[in-house]
């Protein structure tokens, strides 16, 4: 039994126990050595108190790979994603970060703090009851941007739609997408118009 245990242990990745390990992991996974990353990791861990070194490193690596500039922007983004994952334990900080970056990149949120606030509010209001809120925001953010709907307004549509009987945020967004693609000449009593009206989206007059 001891031999089996030792064999398993040999192939187990060592946990990231301190800031030096975290920096080494960051450098190895991004192929870059950035001055100040150790201070950022320390601030997130000891001052921000948003997680262990492992999740912090994963989130910073994802931020770097997604093109988030190192500095205040990366710190704000990482802190927001990690703080959300700490409160909502079913959420992965890397996935939260990806969604925050999408909201900012498409103009649905002006900054990472706003993006984090909107996601937090959506989770608190039960908009993830279908388990797909982050995925929906990632997929449909360009559509919402094209329609002039910001992140807070999208959350309001999600809340209204779920309360009106839609099963998930993706179902709501697909209905809105159908409207967006067939907006001209759609009759007011069409199924699409009626479904959207129930969640507060009205078709313009033909």
């Amino acid at each position: 039994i001891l031999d089996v245990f030792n064999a398993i242990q040999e192939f187990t990745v060592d946990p990231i126990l301190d800031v030096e390990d975290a920096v080494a992991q960051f450098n190895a996974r991004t192929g870059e050595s950035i001055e100040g990353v150790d201070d950022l990791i320390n601030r997130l861990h000891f001052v921000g108190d948003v997680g262990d070194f492992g999740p912090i490193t994963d989130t910073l690596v994802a931020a770097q790979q997604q093109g988030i500039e190192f500095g205040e922007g990366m710190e704000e983004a990482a802190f927001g994603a990690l703080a959300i994952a700490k409160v909502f334990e079913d959420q992965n900080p890397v996935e939260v970060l990806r969604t925050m970056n999408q909201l900012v990149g498409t103009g649905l949120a002006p900054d990472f703090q706003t993006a984090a606030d909107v996601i937090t509010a959506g989770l608190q209001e039960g908009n993830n009851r279908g388990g797909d809120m982050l995925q929906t925001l990632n997929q449909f953010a360009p559509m919402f941007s094209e329609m002039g709907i910001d992140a807070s307004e999208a959350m309001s549509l999600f809340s209204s739609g779920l309360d009106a009987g839609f099963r998930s945020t993706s179902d709501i967004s697909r209905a809105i997408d159908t409207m967006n693609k067939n907006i001209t000449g759609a009759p007011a009593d069409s199924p699409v118009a009626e479904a959207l009206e129930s969640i507060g989206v009205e078709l313009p007059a033909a």
Side-chain angles (χ1 to χ4, degrees), residues 80-93 96 116-128 133-134:
L82 288 158
I84 288 172
K86 183 176 181 179
V87 174
F88 302 94
E89 295 181 357
D90 60 330
Q91 299 301 313
N92 183 314
V96 175
D117 290 344
V118 169
I119 291 171
T120 298
L123 292 169
Q124 290 172 334
E125 293 165 6
N127 289 351
N128 195 42
M133 190 186 81
L134 296 184

